[in-house]
Amino acid sequence: MRLSRSFLPTLKETPADAQIASHRLMLRAGLVRQTASGIYAWLPAGLRVLRNIETIVRQEQNRVGAQELLMPTLQSADLWRRSGRYDAYGPEMLRIRDRHERELLYGPTNEEMITDLFGQVVKSYKDLPKALYHIQWKFRDEVRPRFGVMRGREFLMKDAYSFDQDYASAVASYQRMMLAYLRTFQRLGVRAVPMVADTGPIGGELSHEFLILAPTGESGVFYDAALEGQDWLAEPVDTDNHQALASFFDEVTSHYAATDEKHDEAAWDKIPVERRREGRGIEVGHIFYFGDKYTKSMDISVTGPDGTMIHPEMGSYGIGVSRLVGAIIEASHDDAGIIWPESIAPFRAVIINLKGGDEECDALCEKLYAAGPDALLYDDRKDRAGAKFADADLMGHPWQIIVGPRGAKAGLVELKHRATGERVEISPEEALKKVFAV
Ligand code: 5CA
Protein backbone atom coordinates (compact mmCIF):
# COMPACT_ATOMS: atom_id res chain seq x y z
CA MET A 1 0.00 0.00 0.00
CA ARG A 2 1.16 3.53 -0.79
CA LEU A 3 0.99 5.77 2.26
CA SER A 4 0.04 8.77 0.09
CA ARG A 5 -3.21 7.04 -0.89
CA SER A 6 -3.91 5.15 2.31
CA PHE A 7 -6.30 5.68 5.21
CA LEU A 8 -3.68 5.41 7.93
CA PRO A 9 -4.12 8.62 9.91
CA THR A 10 -1.20 8.99 12.34
CA LEU A 11 -1.30 11.68 15.01
CA LYS A 12 1.62 13.70 16.32
CA GLU A 13 -0.15 14.87 19.46
CA THR A 14 -0.86 12.57 22.38
CA PRO A 15 -4.65 12.17 22.77
CA ALA A 16 -5.63 13.72 26.09
CA ASP A 17 -8.19 11.12 27.18
CA ALA A 18 -5.98 8.04 26.71
CA GLN A 19 -4.47 6.91 30.02
CA ILE A 20 -2.23 4.03 29.02
CA ALA A 21 0.47 3.60 26.38
CA SER A 22 -1.37 1.09 24.21
CA HIS A 23 -4.49 3.25 23.98
CA ARG A 24 -2.43 6.33 23.10
CA LEU A 25 -0.41 4.39 20.53
CA MET A 26 -3.46 2.75 18.95
CA LEU A 27 -4.98 6.19 18.38
CA ARG A 28 -1.71 7.81 17.31
CA ALA A 29 -0.76 4.99 14.92
CA GLY A 30 -4.21 5.19 13.28
CA LEU A 31 -5.39 1.69 14.26
CA VAL A 32 -8.76 2.62 15.76
CA ARG A 33 -11.12 5.51 16.39
CA GLN A 34 -13.75 5.60 19.13
CA THR A 35 -17.28 6.00 17.76
CA ALA A 36 -19.19 5.80 21.09
CA SER A 37 -18.17 4.99 24.66
CA GLY A 38 -16.32 1.66 24.59
CA ILE A 39 -17.09 1.14 20.88
CA TYR A 40 -14.41 1.43 18.22
CA ALA A 41 -14.05 1.50 14.45
CA TRP A 42 -11.08 -0.48 13.21
CA LEU A 43 -9.16 1.46 10.56
CA PRO A 44 -7.23 -0.43 7.85
CA ALA A 45 -3.99 -0.97 9.79
CA GLY A 46 -5.87 -2.02 12.94
CA LEU A 47 -8.03 -4.40 10.95
CA ARG A 48 -4.94 -6.02 9.44
CA VAL A 49 -3.65 -6.73 12.96
CA LEU A 50 -7.00 -8.19 14.04
CA ARG A 51 -7.06 -10.41 10.94
CA ASN A 52 -3.48 -11.60 11.57
CA ILE A 53 -4.35 -12.52 15.15
CA GLU A 54 -7.50 -14.31 13.95
CA THR A 55 -5.46 -16.38 11.48
CA ILE A 56 -3.13 -17.70 14.19
CA VAL A 57 -6.02 -18.31 16.60
CA ARG A 58 -7.90 -20.18 13.86
CA GLN A 59 -4.93 -22.35 12.89
CA GLU A 60 -4.33 -23.42 16.48
CA GLN A 61 -8.03 -24.09 17.12
CA ASN A 62 -8.26 -26.20 13.97
CA ARG A 63 -5.09 -28.01 14.97
CA VAL A 64 -6.74 -29.40 18.12
CA GLY A 65 -9.81 -30.46 16.15
CA ALA A 66 -12.16 -27.55 16.86
CA GLN A 67 -14.46 -26.65 13.95
CA GLU A 68 -15.32 -23.09 13.05
CA LEU A 69 -18.87 -21.86 12.60
CA LEU A 70 -20.44 -18.43 12.91
CA MET A 71 -23.27 -17.60 15.27
CA PRO A 72 -25.12 -14.27 15.14
CA THR A 73 -24.55 -11.34 17.47
CA LEU A 74 -28.28 -11.06 18.27
CA GLN A 75 -29.88 -13.78 20.35
CA SER A 76 -33.39 -14.37 21.61
CA ALA A 77 -34.13 -13.78 25.29
CA ASP A 78 -36.07 -17.08 25.36
CA LEU A 79 -32.87 -19.01 24.69
CA TRP A 80 -31.31 -17.47 27.79
CA ARG A 81 -34.46 -18.08 29.85
CA ARG A 82 -33.93 -21.80 29.24
CA SER A 83 -30.62 -21.75 31.13
CA GLY A 84 -31.88 -19.29 33.73
CA ARG A 85 -29.19 -16.76 32.84
CA TYR A 86 -31.49 -14.12 31.29
CA ASP A 87 -32.37 -12.61 34.63
CA ALA A 88 -29.14 -13.61 36.36
CA TYR A 89 -26.78 -11.89 33.91
CA GLY A 90 -27.55 -8.37 35.13
CA PRO A 91 -27.02 -4.92 33.62
CA GLU A 92 -23.98 -5.91 31.53
CA MET A 93 -26.39 -7.50 29.07
CA LEU A 94 -27.71 -5.22 26.34
CA ARG A 95 -31.41 -6.04 26.00
CA ILE A 96 -33.25 -5.08 22.83
CA ARG A 97 -36.87 -5.22 21.61
CA ASP A 98 -37.79 -5.63 17.96
CA ARG A 99 -40.86 -4.06 16.24
CA HIS A 100 -43.05 -6.96 17.40
CA GLU A 101 -41.97 -6.39 21.00
CA ARG A 102 -39.98 -9.62 20.95
CA GLU A 103 -37.09 -9.60 23.39
CA LEU A 104 -33.59 -9.97 22.02
CA LEU A 105 -30.12 -9.37 23.37
CA TYR A 106 -26.70 -8.60 21.92
CA GLY A 107 -24.69 -11.70 22.86
CA PRO A 108 -22.13 -11.27 25.66
CA THR A 109 -21.15 -14.95 25.17
CA ASN A 110 -22.69 -18.01 23.47
CA GLU A 111 -23.06 -21.00 25.81
CA GLU A 112 -26.86 -21.12 25.38
CA MET A 113 -26.85 -20.78 21.61
CA ILE A 114 -24.16 -23.39 20.99
CA THR A 115 -25.81 -25.83 23.42
CA ASP A 116 -29.11 -25.44 21.57
CA LEU A 117 -27.44 -25.93 18.15
CA PHE A 118 -25.55 -28.94 19.44
CA GLY A 119 -28.78 -30.45 20.82
CA GLN A 120 -30.49 -30.10 17.44
CA VAL A 121 -27.75 -32.09 15.71
CA VAL A 122 -26.05 -34.57 18.04
CA LYS A 123 -28.15 -37.43 19.38
CA SER A 124 -25.63 -40.10 20.42
CA TYR A 125 -22.43 -40.37 22.46
CA LYS A 126 -20.91 -41.93 19.33
CA ASP A 127 -20.76 -38.43 17.80
CA LEU A 128 -18.70 -37.10 20.72
CA PRO A 129 -16.40 -35.39 21.40
CA LYS A 130 -17.21 -32.19 19.51
CA ALA A 131 -15.47 -28.83 19.74
CA LEU A 132 -16.91 -25.80 17.96
CA TYR A 133 -15.79 -22.19 17.87
CA HIS A 134 -16.45 -18.85 16.27
CA ILE A 135 -14.82 -15.45 16.15
CA GLN A 136 -17.57 -12.91 16.66
CA TRP A 137 -18.29 -9.49 18.17
CA LYS A 138 -19.69 -9.46 21.67
CA PHE A 139 -21.32 -6.70 23.69
CA ARG A 140 -21.03 -6.22 27.45
CA ASP A 141 -22.31 -2.97 28.88
CA GLU A 142 -19.28 -2.49 31.13
CA VAL A 143 -19.83 0.13 33.85
CA ARG A 144 -16.43 1.59 33.22
CA PRO A 145 -15.18 0.99 29.68
CA ARG A 146 -11.55 2.09 29.70
CA PHE A 147 -8.08 1.71 28.27
CA GLY A 148 -9.41 1.72 24.70
CA VAL A 149 -10.05 -1.73 23.23
CA MET A 150 -8.73 -3.35 26.39
CA ARG A 151 -12.01 -2.98 28.24
CA GLY A 152 -14.49 -2.11 25.53
CA ARG A 153 -18.23 -2.60 25.41
CA GLU A 154 -18.16 -4.10 21.92
CA PHE A 155 -15.21 -6.47 21.49
CA LEU A 156 -14.09 -9.36 19.31
CA MET A 157 -13.82 -12.76 20.98
CA LYS A 158 -12.89 -16.24 19.88
CA ASP A 159 -15.15 -18.49 21.87
CA ALA A 160 -14.94 -22.26 21.67
CA TYR A 161 -17.19 -24.87 23.26
CA SER A 162 -16.50 -28.56 23.87
CA PHE A 163 -18.97 -31.44 24.35
CA ASP A 164 -17.89 -34.77 25.82
CA GLN A 165 -19.55 -37.94 27.04
CA ASP A 166 -17.90 -38.05 30.46
CA TYR A 167 -15.64 -36.26 32.91
CA ALA A 168 -12.36 -37.85 31.74
CA SER A 169 -12.98 -36.92 28.15
CA ALA A 170 -14.12 -33.38 29.08
CA VAL A 171 -10.93 -32.83 31.07
CA ALA A 172 -8.91 -33.96 28.05
CA SER A 173 -10.76 -31.36 25.94
CA TYR A 174 -9.90 -28.72 28.52
CA GLN A 175 -6.24 -29.74 28.51
CA ARG A 176 -6.15 -29.75 24.71
CA MET A 177 -7.40 -26.16 24.70
CA MET A 178 -4.82 -25.13 27.26
CA LEU A 179 -2.13 -26.42 24.92
CA ALA A 180 -3.73 -24.66 21.94
CA TYR A 181 -3.73 -21.42 23.96
CA LEU A 182 -0.07 -21.68 24.97
CA ARG A 183 0.87 -22.29 21.35
CA THR A 184 -1.38 -19.46 20.13
CA PHE A 185 0.08 -16.85 22.48
CA GLN A 186 3.64 -17.94 21.73
CA ARG A 187 2.97 -17.55 18.00
CA LEU A 188 1.50 -14.11 18.67
CA GLY A 189 4.90 -13.13 20.06
CA VAL A 190 3.84 -12.73 23.69
CA ARG A 191 4.15 -14.69 26.90
CA ALA A 192 0.79 -15.45 28.51
CA VAL A 193 0.92 -17.34 31.80
CA PRO A 194 -2.02 -19.62 32.73
CA MET A 195 -3.30 -18.98 36.25
CA VAL A 196 -5.98 -20.62 38.37
CA ALA A 197 -9.11 -18.46 38.16
CA ASP A 198 -12.63 -17.85 39.43
CA THR A 199 -15.43 -18.85 37.09
CA GLY A 200 -17.76 -15.83 37.53
CA PRO A 201 -21.01 -15.74 35.54
CA ILE A 202 -19.92 -18.58 33.22
CA GLY A 203 -19.88 -20.99 36.17
CA GLY A 204 -18.13 -24.32 36.67
CA GLU A 205 -15.39 -25.82 38.76
CA LEU A 206 -12.16 -25.71 36.75
CA SER A 207 -10.87 -22.52 35.20
CA HIS A 208 -7.65 -20.82 34.10
CA GLU A 209 -7.00 -17.30 32.89
CA PHE A 210 -4.09 -16.45 30.62
CA LEU A 211 -2.31 -13.24 31.50
CA ILE A 212 0.16 -11.17 29.53
CA LEU A 213 2.60 -9.42 31.81
CA ALA A 214 2.47 -5.64 31.60
CA PRO A 215 2.80 -2.94 34.26
CA THR A 216 -0.63 -1.49 33.42
CA GLY A 217 -2.45 -4.83 33.82
CA GLU A 218 -5.63 -4.88 35.88
CA SER A 219 -4.61 -7.88 38.02
CA GLY A 220 -1.64 -8.47 40.29
CA VAL A 221 0.15 -11.71 39.32
CA PHE A 222 2.48 -14.08 41.13
CA TYR A 223 4.19 -16.97 39.38
CA ASP A 224 7.13 -19.33 39.38
CA ALA A 225 9.89 -18.48 36.87
CA ALA A 226 9.86 -22.16 35.86
CA LEU A 227 6.90 -21.17 33.67
CA GLU A 228 9.13 -18.87 31.62
CA GLY A 229 10.98 -19.99 28.55
CA GLN A 230 8.94 -23.11 27.78
CA ASP A 231 8.69 -23.67 24.04
CA TRP A 232 5.23 -25.03 23.17
CA LEU A 233 5.89 -25.02 19.45
CA ALA A 234 9.02 -27.16 19.64
CA GLU A 235 7.64 -29.88 21.93
CA PRO A 236 4.71 -31.55 20.22
CA VAL A 237 2.14 -33.18 22.51
CA ASP A 238 -0.05 -35.97 21.08
CA THR A 239 -3.45 -34.37 21.65
CA ASP A 240 -5.32 -37.62 20.95
CA ASN A 241 -3.54 -39.32 23.83
CA HIS A 242 -5.18 -38.63 27.22
CA GLN A 243 -2.03 -39.73 29.06
CA ALA A 244 0.21 -37.35 27.12
CA LEU A 245 -2.28 -34.50 27.63
CA ALA A 246 -2.49 -35.16 31.35
CA SER A 247 1.26 -35.11 31.84
CA PHE A 248 1.54 -31.88 29.82
CA PHE A 249 -1.22 -30.34 31.95
CA ASP A 250 0.28 -31.56 35.23
CA GLU A 251 3.65 -30.12 34.23
CA VAL A 252 2.19 -26.68 33.53
CA THR A 253 -0.11 -26.55 36.54
CA SER A 254 2.46 -27.93 38.99
CA HIS A 255 4.19 -24.52 38.97
CA TYR A 256 2.70 -21.80 41.12
CA ALA A 257 0.80 -19.09 39.21
CA ALA A 258 -2.05 -17.00 40.59
CA THR A 259 -3.68 -13.60 40.28
CA ASP A 260 -4.14 -11.52 43.43
CA GLU A 261 -7.72 -12.86 43.78
CA LYS A 262 -6.41 -16.41 44.19
CA HIS A 263 -3.00 -15.71 45.70
CA ASP A 264 -1.92 -18.09 48.46
CA GLU A 265 0.91 -16.69 50.61
CA ALA A 266 1.75 -20.08 52.15
CA ALA A 267 2.30 -21.72 48.76
CA TRP A 268 4.21 -18.64 47.52
CA ASP A 269 6.62 -18.82 50.46
CA LYS A 270 7.65 -22.33 49.44
CA ILE A 271 9.02 -21.14 46.06
CA PRO A 272 12.76 -20.29 46.11
CA VAL A 273 13.10 -16.50 46.24
CA GLU A 274 15.10 -16.29 43.01
CA ARG A 275 12.25 -17.98 41.11
CA ARG A 276 9.46 -15.69 42.38
CA ARG A 277 8.03 -13.38 39.74
CA GLU A 278 5.61 -10.69 40.77
CA GLY A 279 3.96 -8.05 38.63
CA ARG A 280 0.78 -7.12 36.82
CA GLY A 281 -1.05 -8.87 34.02
CA ILE A 282 -3.75 -8.43 31.38
CA GLU A 283 -6.25 -11.26 30.94
CA VAL A 284 -6.27 -12.24 27.27
CA GLY A 285 -7.85 -15.67 27.55
CA HIS A 286 -10.04 -17.63 29.91
CA ILE A 287 -10.99 -21.31 29.85
CA PHE A 288 -13.74 -23.05 31.81
CA TYR A 289 -14.91 -26.59 32.51
CA PHE A 290 -18.48 -26.60 33.82
CA GLY A 291 -19.75 -30.15 33.30
CA ASP A 292 -23.47 -30.41 32.52
CA LYS A 293 -24.46 -26.94 33.77
CA TYR A 294 -25.96 -25.89 30.41
CA THR A 295 -26.90 -29.25 28.89
CA LYS A 296 -28.84 -30.08 32.06
CA SER A 297 -30.59 -26.74 32.56
CA MET A 298 -31.49 -26.58 28.85
CA ASP A 299 -32.53 -30.25 28.81
CA ILE A 300 -30.10 -31.40 26.12
CA SER A 301 -29.16 -35.06 26.21
CA VAL A 302 -27.75 -37.79 23.95
CA THR A 303 -27.90 -41.57 24.11
CA GLY A 304 -25.08 -42.89 26.31
CA PRO A 305 -23.03 -46.12 25.89
CA ASP A 306 -25.47 -48.15 28.02
CA GLY A 307 -28.57 -46.84 26.24
CA THR A 308 -29.61 -44.35 28.93
CA MET A 309 -29.73 -40.62 28.17
CA ILE A 310 -26.77 -38.50 29.33
CA HIS A 311 -26.16 -34.74 29.50
CA PRO A 312 -22.86 -34.08 27.70
CA GLU A 313 -20.12 -32.38 29.70
CA MET A 314 -19.04 -28.99 28.45
CA GLY A 315 -16.27 -26.44 28.60
CA SER A 316 -15.94 -22.98 27.08
CA TYR A 317 -12.79 -21.25 26.00
CA GLY A 318 -12.41 -17.54 25.24
CA ILE A 319 -9.68 -15.41 23.71
CA GLY A 320 -10.04 -11.62 23.69
CA VAL A 321 -8.99 -11.02 20.09
CA SER A 322 -9.51 -7.23 20.09
CA ARG A 323 -8.14 -6.89 23.64
CA LEU A 324 -5.00 -8.72 22.49
CA VAL A 325 -4.15 -5.86 20.13
CA GLY A 326 -3.93 -3.48 23.10
CA ALA A 327 -2.29 -6.04 25.38
CA ILE A 328 0.44 -6.88 22.88
CA ILE A 329 1.22 -3.19 22.38
CA GLU A 330 1.28 -2.74 26.15
CA ALA A 331 3.92 -5.49 26.32
CA SER A 332 5.84 -4.38 23.23
CA HIS A 333 6.50 -0.68 22.69
CA ASP A 334 9.06 2.03 23.43
CA ASP A 335 9.02 5.83 23.63
CA ALA A 336 8.92 6.12 19.83
CA GLY A 337 5.97 3.82 19.28
CA ILE A 338 4.74 0.27 18.74
CA ILE A 339 7.14 -2.66 18.21
CA TRP A 340 4.99 -5.26 16.44
CA PRO A 341 5.83 -8.94 16.76
CA GLU A 342 6.47 -10.05 13.17
CA SER A 343 3.62 -12.56 13.21
CA ILE A 344 0.89 -9.95 13.57
CA ALA A 345 2.35 -6.67 12.26
CA PRO A 346 -0.07 -4.88 9.90
CA PHE A 347 2.83 -4.42 7.50
CA ARG A 348 6.05 -6.34 7.69
CA ALA A 349 8.13 -3.51 6.30
CA VAL A 350 7.92 0.07 5.10
CA ILE A 351 9.97 1.57 2.29
CA ILE A 352 11.06 5.03 3.34
CA ASN A 353 11.90 7.26 0.38
CA LEU A 354 14.20 9.90 1.86
CA LYS A 355 14.10 12.13 -1.21
CA GLY A 356 10.82 11.94 -3.10
CA GLY A 357 11.28 13.60 -6.51
CA ASP A 358 14.86 12.35 -6.87
CA GLU A 359 14.87 10.21 -9.99
CA GLU A 360 17.11 7.44 -8.64
CA CYS A 361 15.39 7.26 -5.24
CA ASP A 362 11.94 7.14 -6.84
CA ALA A 363 12.99 4.46 -9.34
CA LEU A 364 14.55 2.22 -6.69
CA CYS A 365 11.57 2.59 -4.37
CA GLU A 366 9.10 1.80 -7.17
CA LYS A 367 11.11 -1.27 -8.13
CA LEU A 368 11.18 -2.51 -4.54
CA TYR A 369 7.50 -1.80 -4.06
CA ALA A 370 6.53 -3.65 -7.24
CA ALA A 371 8.54 -6.71 -6.17
CA GLY A 372 7.16 -6.84 -2.61
CA PRO A 373 4.00 -8.55 -1.33
CA ASP A 374 0.87 -6.97 0.12
CA ALA A 375 2.52 -6.59 3.54
CA LEU A 376 4.97 -4.02 2.15
CA LEU A 377 4.05 -0.40 2.77
CA TYR A 378 5.59 2.42 0.73
CA ASP A 379 6.00 5.84 2.36
CA ASP A 380 5.85 7.86 -0.87
CA ARG A 381 4.54 11.02 0.83
CA LYS A 382 6.10 14.38 0.07
CA ASP A 383 7.18 14.73 3.73
CA ARG A 384 10.50 15.41 5.42
CA ALA A 385 12.65 12.37 6.18
CA GLY A 386 12.30 13.06 9.92
CA ALA A 387 8.52 12.85 9.78
CA LYS A 388 8.69 9.58 7.84
CA PHE A 389 11.11 8.04 10.36
CA ALA A 390 8.89 9.14 13.23
CA ASP A 391 5.77 7.62 11.63
CA ALA A 392 7.59 4.38 10.80
CA ASP A 393 8.72 4.02 14.42
CA LEU A 394 5.26 4.98 15.69
CA MET A 395 3.46 2.43 13.48
CA GLY A 396 5.98 -0.19 14.56
CA HIS A 397 6.68 -2.05 11.31
CA PRO A 398 9.29 -4.72 12.13
CA TRP A 399 11.53 -3.56 9.26
CA GLN A 400 12.29 -0.23 7.57
CA ILE A 401 13.86 -0.22 4.12
CA ILE A 402 15.46 3.20 3.84
CA VAL A 403 16.26 4.58 0.39
CA GLY A 404 18.43 7.70 0.13
CA PRO A 405 20.21 9.39 -2.81
CA ARG A 406 23.71 8.14 -1.93
CA GLY A 407 22.61 4.52 -1.56
CA ALA A 408 20.37 4.66 -4.59
CA LYS A 409 23.36 5.69 -6.74
CA ALA A 410 25.31 2.68 -5.43
CA GLY A 411 22.29 0.38 -5.71
CA LEU A 412 22.03 -0.07 -1.94
CA VAL A 413 19.37 0.41 0.74
CA GLU A 414 19.59 0.58 4.49
CA LEU A 415 17.63 -2.07 6.37
CA LYS A 416 16.64 -1.11 9.92
CA HIS A 417 15.25 -3.55 12.44
CA ARG A 418 12.65 -1.76 14.60
CA ALA A 419 13.05 -3.95 17.70
CA THR A 420 16.85 -3.75 17.99
CA GLY A 421 17.59 -0.56 16.04
CA GLU A 422 20.24 -2.44 14.03
CA ARG A 423 20.95 -1.11 10.55
CA VAL A 424 22.76 -2.75 7.65
CA GLU A 425 23.48 -1.56 4.13
CA ILE A 426 22.51 -4.22 1.59
CA SER A 427 21.16 -4.63 -1.91
CA PRO A 428 17.39 -4.17 -2.45
CA GLU A 429 17.05 -7.85 -3.38
CA GLU A 430 18.75 -8.99 -0.18
CA ALA A 431 16.56 -6.63 1.83
CA LEU A 432 13.37 -8.14 0.41
CA LYS A 433 14.71 -11.62 0.93
CA LYS A 434 15.61 -10.93 4.53
CA VAL A 435 12.26 -9.36 5.32
CA PHE A 436 9.87 -11.63 3.48
CA ALA A 437 11.57 -15.03 3.08
CA VAL A 438 10.62 -16.43 6.45
N1 5CA B 1 -17.82 -17.86 27.44
C1 5CA B 1 -16.56 -17.67 28.10
C2 5CA B 1 -15.44 -18.29 27.34
S1 5CA B 1 -15.80 -18.54 25.68
C3 5CA B 1 -16.30 -16.18 28.31
O1 5CA B 1 -17.09 -15.37 27.92
N2 5CA B 1 -15.19 -15.89 28.96
S2 5CA B 1 -14.73 -14.44 29.43
O2 5CA B 1 -15.81 -13.72 29.99
O3 5CA B 1 -13.59 -14.63 30.28
O4 5CA B 1 -14.26 -13.67 28.15
C4 5CA B 1 -13.23 -14.21 27.34
C5 5CA B 1 -12.18 -13.17 27.02
O5 5CA B 1 -12.77 -12.05 26.38
C6 5CA B 1 -11.48 -12.60 28.23
O6 5CA B 1 -10.41 -13.42 28.65
C7 5CA B 1 -10.99 -11.25 27.71
O7 5CA B 1 -9.73 -11.42 27.06
C8 5CA B 1 -12.04 -10.89 26.68
N3 5CA B 1 -12.93 -9.82 27.20
C9 5CA B 1 -13.88 -9.96 28.16
N4 5CA B 1 -14.48 -8.78 28.40
C10 5CA B 1 -13.91 -7.88 27.57
C11 5CA B 1 -14.09 -6.47 27.33
N5 5CA B 1 -15.02 -5.78 27.99
N6 5CA B 1 -13.33 -5.87 26.40
C12 5CA B 1 -12.40 -6.58 25.71
N7 5CA B 1 -12.19 -7.89 25.89
C13 5CA B 1 -12.92 -8.54 26.81
Side-chain angles (χ1 to χ4, degrees):
M1 190 184 295
R2 287 173 195 274
L3 251 178
S4 64
R5 294 184 203 158
S6 72
F7 194 68
L8 303 176
T10 55
L11 301 172
K12 277 188 200 62
E13 322 74 48
T14 301
D17 55 338
Q19 297 162 26
I20 58 170
S22 61
H23 188 193
R24 284 195 291 272
L25 289 171
M26 287 187 74
L27 294 169
R28 287 193 53 213
L31 304 181
V32 291
R33 285 284 185 273
Q34 182 170 297
T35 60
S37 168
I39 303 179
Y40 289 83
W42 291 79
L43 306 190
L47 183 61
R48 290 176 74 104
V49 181
L50 269 190
R51 294 288 181 252
N52 291 342
I53 295 176
E54 282 178 31
T55 299
I56 291 176
V57 167
R58 214 169 249 131
Q59 286 169 351
E60 294 299 326
Q61 290 294 295
N62 295 347
R63 196 172 176 278
V64 291
Q67 296 174 66
E68 186 172 12
L69 44 65
L70 184 59
M71 292 176 271
T73 53
L74 294 186
Q75 307 187 22
S76 93
D78 285 342
L79 193 55
W80 283 63
R81 288 203 174 93
R82 281 171 58 194
S83 71
R85 271 210 299 183
Y86 187 64
D87 295 322
Y89 210 90
E92 269 192 16
M93 181 187 277
L94 180 64
R95 296 156 209 259
I96 304 164
R97 271 175 204 276
D98 70 11
R99 66 202 297 166
H100 303 294
E101 293 293 313
R102 277 186 295 244
E103 292 171 287
L104 299 168
L105 57 101
Y106 195 119
T109 175
N110 282 62
E111 279 80 4
E112 284 77 359
M113 189 176 281
I114 198 80
T115 305
D116 182 55
L117 287 168
F118 168 88
Q120 292 178 32
V121 176
V122 178
K123 303 291 176 196
S124 161
Y125 78 96
K126 289 181 193 149
D127 295 324
L128 298 177
K130 284 267 175 291
L132 301 164
Y133 74 97
H134 73 162
I135 301 178
Q136 178 61 290
W137 294 92
K138 304 287 186 288
F139 194 93
R140 293 183 187 174
D141 204 352
E142 302 274 352
V143 200
R144 231 162 41 106
R146 60 182 189 149
F147 300 160
V149 301
M150 208 90 89
R151 183 165 293 283
R153 294 199 297 163
E154 190 185 43
F155 59 96
L156 188 61
M157 193 201 284
K158 183 287 296 180
D159 38 327
Y161 304 87
S162 62
F163 298 86
D164 284 273
Q165 74 178 76
D166 55 27
Y167 178 76
S169 168
V171 165
S173 290
Y174 184 91
Q175 295 170 340
R176 219 173 266 131
M177 271 297 168
M178 177 174 275
L179 177 68
Y181 275 39
L182 290 169
R183 288 179 52 97
T184 301
F185 294 123
Q186 188 175 334
R187 287 186 61 194
L188 294 173
V190 284
R191 172 159 304 284
V193 182
M195 306 197 177
V196 179
D198 282 326
T199 55
I202 309 293
E205 55 192 66
L206 178 61
S207 178
H208 285 87
E209 325 184 306
F210 292 76
L211 289 107
I212 290 185
L213 306 172
T216 45
E218 291 190 296
S219 321
V221 297
F222 303 82
Y223 69 95
D224 185 334
L227 283 162
E228 288 174 343
Q230 278 156 320
D231 185 350
W232 304 111
L233 304 176
E235 301 161 26
V237 176
D238 178 359
T239 54
D240 291 328
N241 178 337
H242 284 201
Q243 204 58 50
L245 275 172
S247 55
F248 143 78
F249 183 76
D250 291 346
E251 210 302 286
V252 177
T253 53
S254 66
H255 303 297
Y256 186 83
T259 61
D260 37 16
E261 283 173 359
K262 289 269 182 181
H263 187 48
D264 172 357
E265 283 292 343
W268 184 237
D269 287 345
K270 292 201 191 101
I271 301 166
V273 178
E274 69 280 6
R275 287 207 336 238
R276 290 185 204 165
R277 298 284 182 275
E278 216 180 308
R280 303 203 66 77
I282 303 165
E283 183 205 312
V284 289
H286 202 156
I287 59 178
F288 304 81
Y289 159 74
F290 42 72
D292 62 5
K293 176 176 163 165
Y294 294 92
T295 45
K296 200 168 174 182
S297 59
M298 293 176 68
D299 201 17
I300 300 295
S301 51
V302 301
T303 321
D306 62 4
T308 59
M309 299 304 279
I310 55 168
H311 296 299
E313 300 241 338
M314 289 178 65
S316 75
Y317 314 90
I319 290 183
V321 176
S322 52
R323 173 179 289 183
L324 262 167
V325 181
I328 291 170
I329 296 173
E330 212 51 54
S332 184
H333 70 272
D334 62 15
D335 289 344
I338 301 168
I339 303 171
W340 285 119
E342 300 212 359
S343 58
I344 60 160
F347 300 95
R348 218 173 155 78
V350 59
I351 304 168
I352 301 180
N353 187 347
L354 291 184
K355 203 168 178 201
D358 176 280
E359 217 170 288
E360 276 161 337
C361 283
D362 290 352
L364 181 48
C365 288
E366 290 294 340
K367 195 174 126 201
L368 268 166
Y369 181 59
D374 174 57
L376 179 60
L377 185 66
Y378 175 20
D379 192 346
D380 59 340
R381 296 172 303 177
K382 305 265 168 282
D383 266 337
R384 289 176 303 110
K388 293 186 180 181
F389 283 134
D391 268 358
D393 281 350
L394 171 63
M395 293 178 72
H397 318 295
W399 301 94
Q400 300 171 12
I401 305 173
I402 303 161
V403 178
R406 192 184 51 79
K409 243 186 196 40
L412 293 172
V413 300
E414 205 177 9
L415 183 65
K416 180 185 158 189
H417 189 227
R418 172 71 177 88
T420 59
E422 274 166 17
R423 294 159 174 260
V424 285
E425 219 176 14
I426 52 177
S427 73
E429 295 75 26
E430 278 175 299
L432 284 182
K433 211 161 128 197
K434 191 154 173 145
V435 173
F436 292 105
V438 270

